[in-house]
Amino acid sequence: MVVTDPDVLGGYRQDRALDPDAGIALALVRPLTTEQVATTVRWAHEHRVPIVPRGAGTGLSGGATAQNGALLLSTEKMRDISVDTVTRTAIVQPGLLNAEVKRAVAEHGLWYPPDPSSFEICSIGGNAATNAGGLCCVKYGVTTDYVLGMEVVLADGTAVRLGGPRLKDSAGLSLTKLFVGSEGTLGIITELTLRLLPAQPPQSTVVATFPTLTAATDAILAITGQLRPSMLEFMDSVAINAVEDELRMGLDRQAAGLLVARSDAPGEHAGHEADIMLAACEKAGATEAFRTDDPDEGEAFCAARRFAIPAVERKGPLLLEDVGVPLPRLGDLVTGIADIAANRRVLISVIAHAGDGNTHPLIVHDPSDPEESERAHLAFGEIMDLAIGLGGTITGEHGVGRLKKPWLPDQLGPDVMALTRRIKDALDPHGILNPGAVL
Amino acid sequence: MVVTDPDVLGGYRQDRALDPDAGIALALVRPLTTEQVATTVRWAHEHRVPIVPRGAGTGLSGGATAQNGALLLSTEKMRDISVDTVTRTAIVQPGLLNAEVKRAVAEHGLWYPPDPSSFEICSIGGNAATNAGGLCCVKYGVTTDYVLGMEVVLADGTAVRLGGPRLKDSAGLSLTKLFVGSEGTLGIITELTLRLLPAQPPQSTVVATFPTLTAATDAILAITGQLRPSMLEFMDSVAINAVEDELRMGLDRQAAGLLVARSDAPGEHAGHEADIMLAACEKAGATEAFRTDDPDEGEAFCAARRFAIPAVERKGPLLLEDVGVPLPRLGDLVTGIADIAANRRVLISVIAHAGDGNTHPLIVHDPSDPEESERAHLAFGEIMDLAIGLGGTITGEHGVGRLKKPWLPDQLGPDVMALTRRIKDALDPHGILNPGAVL
């Protein structure tokens, strides 16, 4: 169970944030059961050895960066799932991938909504640890909205069971919800009870291109002011062209922005809602806008949107942001990011889960060019400052990890930081759980 | 601002749980602003005076019972609300009633879903403090699902702002969700940012009566196995007759149980779903079952269901339970309650938010008859023991308060109780916030 081979450990040093400050871990453990996790944590607690938990290692904030002398605890081998169609819940171990959860419940005609773009490669445990979001969250909410219960191993190795397959439970503090999004700093989630929905109805899809960013953000506000789309995604010109370079699907390379909007209202209501969204796009000045009810065609545009990050990444390594703002400030955010890109002379592509105000500015930079890299990192911080100034958040769905930690006090303020620290100290008094992350 | 008149204080000694152990408070404060709450708590913190916070005083678990020498802090005068149609959120002060929130947002074509039966008289702050539920929760979730942010005054009088009008926010711990359902033991909520939905579509309603409890629970499982109703409510024979005594609406007095089920699917899909539910009721052996799309008629049956508690209360004072179980165990719970009623020779009426497994057994007893009262209280505890044994909860939506506190360790176990205590001690080291509630 314990691996100390440096070659193997090397593969677990970083997550997808590629934190340059990753350390050298003591060893790697890949437990199969809650009891094995508990045994590991009891040992670590006794010897005051820090533990860095990780799921599939797809995190984008350095939440799973190896620390010197730490134990890496990967949940990748914890892969059981059972589905209960009557309570419409699934009990899953954390190592299962999001897509595997979706597929397993789909066999029972059920649906687990949260859908990070990385859903084929990210783990459900990591999703819970970061309170991950995705594309359908604009209508269906984020991971915490689907976690009814969990088993979690605390800092001293005690395994506790919280919540359960019940939609309602007001007995005691909402501890389940506290552990969701805690990024491995309060405990290690070893099992989740997930709320499921009936299978999603077929979706109707609208694709529209816009001559200006303002026209696109106008369309976004017009749409969300009238209905709740099941998806409302945005790509800017850089992303459109990067995707078109790879996929050759005939996207308008001249457009300043592209929206993909969907409705999953029952039956012909999906088409009605799509028509309302189409009209909103046209009224906002779309150069082209069309609706399709063909599932494959609709999915192709969603896949194009999901492919935007890897496509832009071919232009160079990315600093990946995850800033969110209240929706009325989305235009200010997008404009402000363009100003930062111009001032810092760096290429920044903006893609967004537009309907909930959550954007992913992608800062392209050459890490081997120290001067350019410095400008990129300055822009990285300035974008978070901008989001905070607009009443937003430095992370909508990726978590703080280690890369965004310096900006967290600016968002939360000293009193909330102190409150956070009190909870952390109460639950992990020796600071062995994911040290250096978040706090 | 500070009231010490014993007559006034007397009106604030208890909530609707009528806790016989209520004490004599020092004084009552009714602040208007967060700053006034903070000033009050700073004073209390400095002088180590306990504070019992309360909303509208409609709690059913004794969460707002006055304690000897404590300060009562009522949020009833904090009644501001502002609605933002673009972010689809409302910022509300805690003293506003749930119904007032619903009405204020409805003026903007929006909907705040959580709907405790007491929605006309309970406060939104109390709803957040207990993580209140209601009738539509089977489809739309509970209060925590709608709280995106809050302002809360901590035990030392510091006011902090958590979350905000953003659907996604992974920055730091999920503190907002921790304070929801904390029953005033961790802080005093002075403002809430609530997520809203577009106005609910018209509902189609099914009413069905059953010759046996088993037939009724069979129908419940058959319905929830096929779709998500927007309401699925149950009344037993005692409740049916109590309601019929008062309302004379022609309910079948011979029935063992009555279901009210609704669908709010768009357009004619509500009717389609209602027909599926109707067929499920008939197949399960309903003696009578019909569908109505008339909003007034549908609302009349919902109102009848909401009226069940006051109607049964006319038979005598109630011990009001709030136990919930995973849905497949609902039949076992209902049968087991009947056994307890027979064994203890007390009248117990069961009404339920059946679709989410949350039941309200109503134990009728005469408090002036010590022997009967003792049997009633024994039944009260046995019902919670039964729910725990079935993998359920002692409270689905009312909170633990003081009346259910002895059973909380049985549900949570010693490790979760210790975890809860660590958080309580970290946030309220001097134990001045709602002492004696929950813990």
Side-chain angles (χ1 to χ4, degrees):
Chain A
M1 191 167 98
V2 180
V3 180
T4 54
D5 179 338
D7 287 348
V8 177
L9 290 188
Y12 289 80
R13 275 190 76 211
Q14 295 174 312
D15 55 23
R16 282 169 70 90
L18 301 178
D19 184 348
D21 299 327
I24 306 293
L26 187 69
L28 165 72
V29 291
R30 287 174 289 200
L32 298 168
T33 64
T34 297
E35 185 45 42
Q36 290 178 358
V37 175
T39 303
T40 305
V41 179
R42 274 197 300 272
W43 177 87
H45 173 254
E46 198 176 314
H47 296 87
R48 304 287 188 262
V49 173
I51 300 182
V52 176
R54 60 184 283 140
T58 60
L60 294 162
S61 304
T65 305
Q67 303 295 293
N68 286 325
L71 203 56
L72 300 175
L73 189 154
S74 167
T75 59
E76 71 198 282
K77 292 182 187 259
M78 302 179 72
R79 293 174 45 75
D80 283 347
I81 181 167
S82 65
V83 180
D84 181 336
T85 55
V86 180
T87 57
R88 218 176 267 135
T89 55
I91 295 179
V92 304
Q93 283 191 309
L96 217 62
L97 302 184
N98 178 298
E100 293 172 325
V101 173
K102 283 182 185 293
R103 282 195 285 268
V105 308
E107 285 176 18
H108 300 271
L110 295 171
W111 178 39
Y112 174 71
D115 57 348
S117 290
S118 59
F119 76 106
E120 291 282 3
I121 54 171
C122 63
S123 74
I124 195 75
N127 290 179
T130 56
N131 193 15
L135 284 69
C136 74
C137 303
V138 58
K139 181 166 182 176
Y140 288 99
V142 294
T143 302
T144 193
D145 297 313
Y146 294 89
V147 180
L148 294 177
M150 63 171 63
E151 192 168 44
V152 60
V153 173
L154 304 178
D156 64 357
T158 308
V160 296
R161 195 165 273 284
L162 306 171
R166 299 176 296 272
L167 279 173
K168 286 173 171 171
D169 191 346
S170 287
L173 297 178
S174 302
L175 297 172
T176 302
K177 301 284 187 189
L178 176 64
F179 283 94
V180 175
S182 64
E183 302 193 41
T185 63
L186 301 183
I188 299 172
I189 297 168
T190 58
E191 186 188 284
L192 292 160
T193 302
L194 301 176
R195 177 181 159 228
L196 307 172
L197 299 187
Q200 187 176 30
Q203 299 186 77
S204 194
T205 306
V206 170
V207 180
T209 49
F210 296 86
T212 63
L213 290 176
T214 306
T217 51
D218 285 352
I220 292 161
L221 295 189
I223 288 170
T224 59
Q226 291 176 83
L227 52 82
R228 277 203 310 166
S230 55
M231 180 184 296
L232 183 48
E233 294 289 316
F234 169 80
M235 292 197 280
D236 73 358
S237 151
V238 175
I240 294 168
N241 280 280
V243 168
E244 184 61 18
D245 286 348
E246 302 291 331
L247 300 184
R248 308 276 171 200
M249 56 193 293
L251 301 179
D252 177 4
R253 288 181 177 276
Q254 309 307 315
L258 178 146
L259 289 185
V260 184
R262 306 187 91 177
S263 167
D264 65 357
E268 74 293 353
H269 292 273
H272 294 169
E273 288 196 349
D275 286 341
I276 291 170
M277 296 194 283
L278 192 66
C281 290
E282 284 165 351
K283 193 171 170 202
T287 42
E288 197 186 350
F290 67 93
R291 162 189 158 187
T292 175
D293 296 343
D294 181 76
D296 293 339
E297 194 179 18
E299 180 51 32
F301 283 99
C302 298
R305 162 59 191 85
R306 279 192 214 98
F307 188 62
I309 293 181
V312 174
E313 203 162 20
R314 310 229 166 148
K315 297 187 178 300
L318 301 180
L319 286 174
L320 205 149
E321 300 266 14
D322 177 36
V323 291
V325 289
L327 206 48
R329 313 309 298 269
L330 184 63
D332 296 337
L333 179 67
V334 171
T335 317
I337 291 167
D339 291 345
I340 291 169
N343 287 340
R344 293 298 175 192
R345 291 175 291 118
V346 285
L347 180 63
I348 305 180
S349 175
V350 176
I351 59 176
H353 307 303
D356 50 35
N358 179 210
T359 71
H360 295 310
L362 311 172
I363 308 172
V364 184
H365 73 300
D366 177 1
S368 70
D369 178 342
E371 191 273 335
E372 183 184 287
S373 192
E374 190 192 343
R375 283 188 278 114
H377 280 88
L378 287 169
F380 185 71
E382 286 166 355
I383 289 173
M384 285 190 273
D385 294 341
L386 173 64
I388 294 168
L390 293 169
T393 178
I394 60 172
T395 172
E397 56 184 9
H398 294 171
V400 173
R402 290 172 176 83
L403 268 58
K404 290 168 192 159
K405 190 171 56 165
W407 287 269
L408 187 63
D410 294 340
Q411 178 179 336
L412 300 186
D415 292 333
V416 177
M417 289 301 292
L419 176 60
T420 304
R421 170 55 69 186
R422 286 214 295 278
I423 292 172
K424 168 70 173 173
D425 289 346
L427 268 59
D428 180 20
H430 305 298
I432 67 166
L433 289 176
N434 212 6
V438 186
L439 280 168
Chain B
M1 193 166 99
V2 180
V3 179
T4 53
D5 179 339
D7 287 346
V8 178
L9 289 188
Y12 290 80
R13 274 189 77 209
Q14 295 173 312
D15 55 24
R16 281 169 69 89
L18 300 179
D19 185 348
D21 299 326
I24 305 294
L26 186 69
L28 163 72
V29 292
R30 288 175 287 200
L32 298 168
T33 64
T34 298
E35 186 44 42
Q36 290 178 357
V37 175
T39 303
T40 304
V41 179
R42 274 196 301 272
W43 177 88
H45 174 253
E46 197 177 315
H47 297 87
R48 304 288 187 261
V49 173
I51 300 182
V52 175
R54 62 185 280 143
T58 60
L60 293 163
S61 304
T65 305
Q67 303 295 294
N68 286 326
L71 202 57
L72 300 175
L73 190 153
S74 167
T75 59
E76 71 198 280
K77 291 180 187 262
M78 302 178 72
R79 296 176 40 79
D80 282 348
I81 181 167
S82 65
V83 180
D84 181 337
T85 56
V86 180
T87 57
R88 218 177 268 135
T89 55
I91 296 179
V92 303
Q93 283 192 309
L96 218 61
L97 302 183
N98 177 299
E100 292 172 326
V101 173
K102 284 183 184 292
R103 282 196 284 269
V105 309
E107 285 176 20
H108 301 270
L110 295 170
W111 178 39
Y112 174 71
D115 57 349
S117 290
S118 58
F119 76 106
E120 291 282 4
I121 54 171
C122 64
S123 75
I124 195 75
N127 290 179
T130 55
N131 192 17
L135 285 68
C136 74
C137 303
V138 59
K139 181 166 183 178
Y140 289 98
V142 292
T143 302
T144 192
D145 298 313
Y146 295 88
V147 179
L148 295 177
M150 63 171 63
E151 193 168 43
V152 59
V153 173
L154 305 177
D156 64 358
T158 308
V160 296
R161 193 165 275 283
L162 306 171
R166 298 176 296 272
L167 279 175
K168 288 173 170 171
D169 191 347
S170 287
L173 297 178
S174 301
L175 298 172
T176 302
K177 301 285 188 190
L178 176 64
F179 282 94
V180 176
S182 64
E183 303 192 42
T185 64
L186 301 182
I188 298 172
I189 297 168
T190 57
E191 185 187 284
L192 292 159
T193 302
L194 300 175
R195 178 181 160 230
L196 307 172
L197 300 186
Q200 187 176 29
Q203 299 186 79
S204 195
T205 306
V206 170
V207 180
T209 49
F210 297 86
T212 64
L213 289 177
T214 306
T217 53
D218 286 351
I220 291 162
L221 296 187
I223 289 170
T224 59
Q226 292 178 81
L227 52 82
R228 276 202 310 164
S230 54
M231 181 186 293
L232 182 49
E233 294 289 317
F234 169 81
M235 291 198 281
D236 73 359
S237 150
V238 175
I240 294 168
N241 280 282
V243 169
E244 184 62 19
D245 285 347
E246 301 292 329
L247 300 184
R248 308 277 171 199
M249 57 193 293
L251 301 179
D252 176 5
R253 288 180 177 275
Q254 308 308 314
L258 178 146
L259 290 184
V260 183
R262 306 188 91 177
S263 167
D264 65 356
E268 74 293 354
H269 293 273
H272 294 169
E273 289 196 347
D275 286 342
I276 293 170
M277 297 194 283
L278 192 65
C281 290
E282 284 165 350
K283 193 172 170 200
T287 42
E288 195 186 354
F290 67 94
R291 161 189 157 189
T292 175
D293 296 344
D294 180 77
D296 292 338
E297 195 179 16
E299 180 50 33
F301 283 99
C302 298
R305 161 59 190 87
R306 279 193 216 98
F307 188 63
I309 294 181
V312 175
E313 203 162 20
R314 309 228 168 150
K315 296 188 179 297
L318 300 180
L319 286 173
L320 205 150
E321 300 266 13
D322 178 37
V323 291
V325 289
L327 206 49
R329 312 309 297 270
L330 185 62
D332 297 336
L333 179 68
V334 172
T335 317
I337 292 168
D339 291 345
I340 291 169
N343 287 341
R344 293 297 174 192
R345 292 176 290 120
V346 284
L347 179 64
I348 305 180
S349 174
V350 176
I351 58 176
H353 308 302
D356 50 34
N358 180 208
T359 71
H360 295 310
L362 311 173
I363 308 171
V364 185
H365 72 300
D366 176 0
S368 70
D369 178 342
E371 193 272 335
E372 182 184 289
S373 192
E374 189 193 343
R375 284 187 278 110
H377 280 89
L378 287 169
F380 185 70
E382 285 166 354
I383 289 174
M384 285 189 274
D385 294 341
L386 172 65
I388 293 168
L390 293 170
T393 178
I394 60 172
T395 171
E397 55 184 10
H398 295 171
V400 175
R402 291 172 175 84
L403 269 58
K404 290 168 191 159
K405 191 170 59 165
W407 288 270
L408 188 63
D410 295 339
Q411 178 178 336
L412 299 186
D415 292 334
V416 177
M417 288 302 291
L419 176 60
T420 304
R421 171 55 69 187
R422 286 215 294 280
I423 292 172
K424 168 70 173 175
D425 289 347
L427 267 58
D428 181 20
H430 304 297
I432 66 166
L433 289 175
N434 212 5
V438 186
L439 281 168

